Amino acid sequence: ISSRGCPAQCTFCANVCMGRKFRAHSPEYVAGEIEYLANKYGVRHFRFEDDCFTADQDRVIKICDLIIKARLNITWAASGRVNTLRNDAVILKMKQAGCVWVQLGIETGSQRINDLMKKGTTLAMAEECCALLRKHGMPYFNAFIIGNEGDTLETVMSTIAFSRKLKSEVVLFH
């Protein structure tokens, strides 16, 4: 866990214990922990359990640069938000530093439901993010919620259709 909290205001979020304020360890601390575990214990794969590892793109790039500089032979995965992963440079840097997949919380295929959930993203952002990840050969998993407040058979069906449109490696329905 390299950070706590998420700056988003999603109404469905159950992770109230971490809070809405994003609080992060420094890139040097994070890379140092990874280097220690890799060198002392031979750990070669890491999973960032942050609510949103990509919340601060500058921090992500610094962590990646430090991993690359240390020449660690590792792979890793993280969760992100579609509004924070729409930059070629960030995705390429993550891949160069050993990122092998990203999980995205898309939640719905209905912009009306997305707005009711106060997700702070758009379906267009999700499409753009997934297209960039595909373009750079970065596997991604998408998570959706069925039964959101306001969901109807029509919005659930649009969510299923949207999940197919995004062409992720794995789709999770909650």
Side-chain angles (χ1 to χ4, degrees):
I1 298 176
S2 77
S3 68
R4 294 183 183 172
C6 178
Q9 301 298 311
C10 306
T11 59
F12 63 85
C13 186
N15 198 1
V16 294
C17 64
M18 294 294 190
R20 299 285 185 199
K21 184 178 178 188
F22 180 74
R23 303 166 319 280
H25 287 295
S26 71
E28 294 77 15
Y29 178 84
V30 174
E33 288 270 310
I34 292 170
E35 187 171 7
Y36 173 78
L37 292 168
N39 291 338
K40 179 151 180 138
Y41 297 105
V43 178
R44 293 289 163 231
H45 182 76
F46 296 83
R47 166 75 168 104
F48 286 98
E49 292 293 336
D50 303 33
D51 289 328
C52 182
F53 179 74
T54 60
D56 180 343
Q57 292 182 18
D58 291 336
R59 179 176 168 271
V60 170
I61 288 174
K62 287 176 188 171
I63 290 169
C64 291
D65 283 340
L66 291 167
I67 291 170
I68 294 164
K69 183 179 178 184
R71 297 178 184 243
L72 301 176
N73 183 25
I74 63 164
T75 59
W76 54 276
S79 295
R81 287 176 48 90
V82 298
N83 59 330
T84 62
L85 270 175
R86 296 185 310 152
N87 180 317
D88 289 287
V90 173
I91 294 167
L92 287 169
K93 186 66 75 169
M94 289 171 63
K95 189 171 182 179
Q96 184 183 2
C99 185
V100 292
W101 61 266
V102 175
Q103 182 172 336
L104 303 168
I106 309 292
E107 319 314 354
T108 183
S110 163
Q111 189 61 53
R112 181 180 68 80
I113 299 298
N114 197 347
D115 294 343
L116 283 173
M117 294 170 23
K118 298 183 180 175
K119 183 75 179 162
T121 61
T122 65
L123 302 186
M125 286 176 185
E127 290 182 74
E128 181 183 350
C129 175
C130 292
L132 279 175
L133 291 166
R134 269 193 319 277
K135 172 184 166 184
H136 297 299
M138 175 72 73
Y140 55 97
F141 300 0
N142 290 335
F144 294 88
I145 301 171
I146 300 293
N148 290 298
E149 184 177 347
D151 254 343
T152 63
L153 179 59
E154 181 181 322
T155 60
V156 169
M157 296 309 288
S158 66
T159 294
I160 294 167
F162 191 62
S163 75
R164 288 183 179 132
K165 184 177 184 180
L166 297 178
K167 302 177 184 174
S168 70
E169 304 289 321
V170 174
V171 179
L172 308 170
F173 290 96
H174 302 281

